[in-house]
């Protein structure tokens, strides 16, 4: 489990770096920084329609979730995901001592 969590953390950080490289190259070539928010990536690249999923939530929770998904950049989310995986790996090691 510990190796899996570390691998997921490294994968999340590599995906963050690749996202920033893509955005940097796009900025260098096209002079425009592409906005890759969680909402746009889920809709355009993955094909998930998160807005239809969020219709089943209470209004206040749906509005907060839509705000977070539409304003959080993919690179920041991937970086924090890596931090989460490494923190979980550290906690796993402390608790189980392996």
């Amino acid at each position: 489990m510990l190796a899996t969590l570390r691998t997921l953390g490294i994968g999340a950080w590599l995906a963050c770096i690749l996202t920033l490289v893509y955005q940097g190259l796009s900025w260098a070539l096209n002079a425009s920084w592409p906005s890759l928010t969680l909402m746009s990536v889920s809709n355009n690249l993955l094909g998930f329609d998160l807005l239809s999923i969020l219709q089943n939530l209470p209004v206040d929770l749906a509005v907060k979730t839509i705000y977070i998904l539409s304003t959080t950049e993919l690179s920041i989310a991937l970086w924090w995901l890596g931090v989460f995986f490494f923190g979980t790996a550290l906690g796993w090691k402390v608790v189980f001592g392996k």
Side-chain angles (χ1 to χ4, degrees):
M1 182 68 167
L2 189 61
T4 302
L5 290 171
R6 287 181 187 164
T7 303
L8 289 172
I10 291 170
W13 280 355
L14 286 175
C16 173
I17 290 170
L18 288 175
T19 302
L20 291 172
V21 166
Y22 165 74
Q23 287 178 317
L25 286 174
S26 177
W27 177 76
L29 297 175
N30 300 329
S32 67
W33 187 265
S35 176
L36 294 175
T37 63
L38 293 176
M39 184 73 79
S40 66
V41 169
S42 69
N43 286 340
N44 297 337
L45 298 179
L46 301 177
F48 294 135
D49 187 16
L50 291 177
L51 294 177
S52 64
I53 295 171
L54 295 175
Q55 288 177 348
N56 299 326
L57 294 176
V59 174
D60 59 335
L61 185 59
V63 168
K64 290 175 187 175
T65 305
I66 290 170
Y67 175 76
I68 288 171
L69 291 175
S70 62
T71 59
T72 304
E73 289 286 327
L74 177 64
S75 58
I76 294 171
L78 288 170
W79 188 85
W80 279 109
L81 187 63
V83 169
F84 169 76
F85 284 133
F86 283 122
T88 305
L90 178 64
W92 185 273
K93 190 171 183 175
V94 167
V95 171
F96 296 108
K98 293 182 180 181

